[in-house]
Amino acid sequence: MADKKSVVFLEETEIDRRIHDAVAKVQNKDKPKIYGVSGMGSENPQWARTYDAAGITLNIVQNGRYKECVASDEAFQEFFRPKKYIDEHGNHFLTFTPKSYRIDRTSAGEITALSIKEYEDGDEQKGFKVYDFFKNWITENEYSGIVSRDVAQYLSSCYDKLNESTYSGDVSNADDISELIVRSVPNESFNESYASWGEGTQVIKQTDQRYTKLSWMFLAFFRDMCCVYFARSDIHNFFGLEFEENPDDGAGRWSSIEQSNLTGETDGMTSHTGFDTESNHYRIFDLDHALAGVTVDGCYMTAEGFYFSRLPDFDISADDGAKISSITSMPTSYEGEYDIITKIAYDQANPDIRLAVAQRKVTADYPEASLQNIYYSCINKLYKIEEYGQRSQLYALAYYTTEQYPDSGLFFSFWCGDVYGAWYGGDF
């Protein structure tokens, strides 16, 4: 006797749906994934993952001294891993392939949802925009092609070839400044020297004409990548950092966490992202000590507003021709009138221009600094530039290189009262 089999008759609409799903799977098999995040700018520090990132979780795996991040989806994890190489000078670099982004939702000129993907031809027609960081700019408004970009893996140190040692002190006092070079190598003290903006540029260029300072365009790209990878703003909390109030400070400020002054402390990690509990350094996308204070090139602030240039080696201390941004919602005081519920403002005409803005008024119930380690580990600080009448330099990610504070972090931005230095020893 033949086996009896049941037969199920499907509605035409269900058949159409299944055919559509099957075709879509085949068509999208080799297409770049779209990873998104939603909920930015709210009091909730944990955001929703969207598009192909939906349902992905980020877990911490303890590996000796390291707290390593591992995503539940391997393709997602690898999307954020750059290639490594060592150039002819012995300097370690990371190569980031071109990525594009889309601002999915905004509120009052601030970004609340965005998505990113690997760049491919035709992205503009899909609503995506390749990051300015990956465009080969030849003028402020013209570029010739999309390229991968290399970023130094380690914080730069200054090396004296004449004396065959790490240079310590102000580079203007060097026996021969032409013998100084910058190095991105492990096991090096990164806080030994100070260089003014001009002298820093000289040392960088005499090392290799292709080298440049860290651009605001990389900072915009890096912050977006972190937003999508972590899907949260309170990275310090995620890794379990604990800050204590300073007992000698009656204003409710916090004591810092001391950090090592050596590069390469995070090299023992398997994951590209994690936290070193001994050196107190973050590693993010294989960038060693990723949340250290860094100087940012290609942008400056005046009493009139925020200026930016897309050209490499733009001298923010002297060059003219920069474009002015339409962003006007930044705080106008360095004093403690705001807490750090940070939002990301953007320039609608030039959307790669992003600035962290912290404008939630403090109250008696939530005094200054009391929420720093609960909500956002970030803040936007701005000197009263109108009192200086000059160009102001941007520092990002942290105020110091060897101390971590609750308000340091991914969105930290600090506008100095002048254009001072290319690097600042242990301060920046």
Side-chain angles (χ1 to χ4, degrees):
M1 179 181 290
D3 292 337
K4 294 182 178 179
K5 297 185 182 295
S6 60
V7 178
V8 177
F9 294 95
L10 300 175
E11 296 287 341
E12 287 188 3
T13 53
E14 175 63 13
I15 294 174
D16 289 341
R17 186 191 69 78
R18 294 190 181 190
I19 292 174
H20 177 272
D21 288 348
V23 172
K25 286 181 180 179
V26 173
Q27 290 178 338
N28 293 327
K29 181 178 180 181
D30 297 322
K31 287 191 175 182
K33 300 281 189 179
I34 298 174
Y35 298 121
V37 67
S38 176
M40 302 164 63
S42 65
E43 291 189 7
N44 187 347
Q46 300 181 41
W47 307 330
R49 297 192 185 275
T50 59
Y51 302 104
D52 293 309
I56 293 175
T57 58
L58 193 63
N59 306 300
I60 292 180
V61 177
Q62 193 73 44
N63 178 17
R65 61 191 275 186
Y66 305 122
K67 295 182 177 181
E68 302 195 29
C69 291
V70 180
S72 59
D73 182 89
E74 184 177 357
F76 176 84
Q77 179 78 4
E78 290 305 306
F79 176 83
F80 297 91
R81 188 188 299 277
K83 300 292 184 182
K84 301 178 185 179
Y85 80 95
I86 301 175
D87 73 359
E88 63 270 30
H89 306 292
N91 289 321
H92 295 238
F93 283 90
L94 304 173
T95 299
F96 291 90
T97 55
K99 305 288 191 296
S100 55
Y101 72 91
R102 181 177 61 201
I103 297 175
D104 293 319
R105 191 162 53 255
T106 64
S107 175
E110 296 165 349
I111 298 172
T112 60
L114 63 86
S115 50
I116 58 178
K117 64 186 291 293
E118 199 73 30
Y119 167 77
E120 60 180 344
D121 290 338
D123 273 353
E124 296 282 356
Q125 287 69 44
K126 303 171 186 175
F128 285 84
K129 180 182 183 297
V130 64
Y131 282 96
D132 282 352
F133 178 59
F134 297 105
K135 295 177 180 178
N136 186 30
W137 293 98
I138 53 177
T139 71
E140 291 293 358
N141 300 304
E142 299 175 302
Y143 63 93
S144 59
I146 308 299
V147 297
S148 295
R149 292 294 188 188
D150 298 335
V151 178
Q153 182 177 2
Y154 303 101
L155 291 182
S156 297
S157 60
C158 187
Y159 184 78
D160 187 345
K161 296 188 296 181
L162 190 64
N163 295 302
E164 298 183 340
S165 63
T166 301
Y167 184 79
S168 181
D170 191 330
V171 301
S172 62
N173 297 325
D175 294 334
D176 185 351
I177 193 173
S178 67
E179 293 294 327
L180 301 182
I181 59 174
V182 290
R183 300 207 299 179
S184 170
V185 297
N187 300 313
E188 189 91 352
S189 297
F190 53 70
N191 66 331
E192 296 293 330
S193 59
Y194 165 84
S196 68
W197 192 263
E199 290 167 336
T201 300
Q202 176 184 341
V203 173
I204 289 169
K205 287 301 179 182
Q206 66 194 19
T207 305
D208 193 309
Q209 283 293 320
R210 299 169 298 176
Y211 290 2
T212 62
K213 298 188 186 79
L214 182 75
S215 166
W216 65 265
M217 292 183 287
F218 172 75
L219 185 63
F221 162 69
F222 177 70
R223 280 173 167 165
D224 279 7
M225 290 274 281
C226 287
C227 286
V228 173
Y229 182 72
F230 288 106
R232 62 193 299 153
S233 58
D234 58 342
I235 299 177
H236 294 336
N237 279 344
F238 179 61
F239 286 102
L241 272 69
E242 296 183 0
F243 295 89
E244 298 179 357
E245 289 191 58
N246 188 334
D248 299 324
D249 191 325
R253 296 184 179 89
W254 300 79
S255 298
S256 65
I257 295 176
E258 293 187 8
Q259 299 174 310
S260 166
N261 72 333
L262 290 178
T263 59
E265 296 273 26
T266 67
D267 283 353
M269 289 188 189
T270 302
S271 174
H272 56 61
T273 298
F275 183 77
D276 181 352
T277 60
E278 291 188 12
S279 69
N280 290 321
H281 290 172
Y282 283 98
R283 179 188 186 92
I284 302 178
F285 315 144
D286 279 330
L287 285 168
D288 180 64
H289 197 6
L291 296 186
V294 293
T295 58
V296 182
D297 195 15
C299 64
Y300 61 90
M301 181 77 72
T302 72
E304 287 73 41
F306 172 80
Y307 289 82
F308 66 94
S309 170
R310 297 186 176 102
L311 297 178
D313 304 319
F314 185 91
D315 185 357
I316 65 170
S317 68
D319 282 354
D320 294 319
K323 302 164 74 73
I324 190 167
S325 169
S326 64
I327 297 176
T328 58
S329 60
M330 288 181 296
T332 57
S333 173
Y334 179 69
E335 274 79 40
E337 298 177 356
Y338 304 95
D339 69 10
I340 51 180
I341 305 300
T342 298
K343 300 175 184 294
I344 304 299
Y346 74 104
D347 186 321
Q348 293 189 16
N350 303 280
D352 280 63
I353 294 294
R354 320 279 178 78
L355 289 177
V357 291
Q359 294 188 309
R360 182 172 178 263
K361 291 280 189 179
V362 300
T363 66
D365 293 332
Y366 298 102
E368 178 190 4
S370 65
L371 299 180
Q372 287 183 344
N373 201 28
I374 298 176
Y375 291 123
Y376 287 61
S377 295
C378 49
I379 196 167
N380 187 86
K381 294 183 177 181
L382 177 67
Y383 268 123
K384 295 179 180 178
I385 301 173
E386 63 273 14
E387 296 181 2
Y388 293 87
Q390 57 199 12
R391 299 186 183 201
S392 178
Q393 183 177 349
L394 176 64
Y395 297 90
L397 305 181
Y399 193 83
Y400 295 98
T401 57
T402 57
E403 291 181 76
Q404 186 73 246
Y405 286 91
D407 60 351
S408 296
L410 179 59
F411 301 108
F412 178 94
S413 296
F414 170 75
W415 293 97
C416 197
D418 203 345
V419 177
Y420 289 116
W423 61 82
Y424 262 77
D427 290 343
F428 300 100

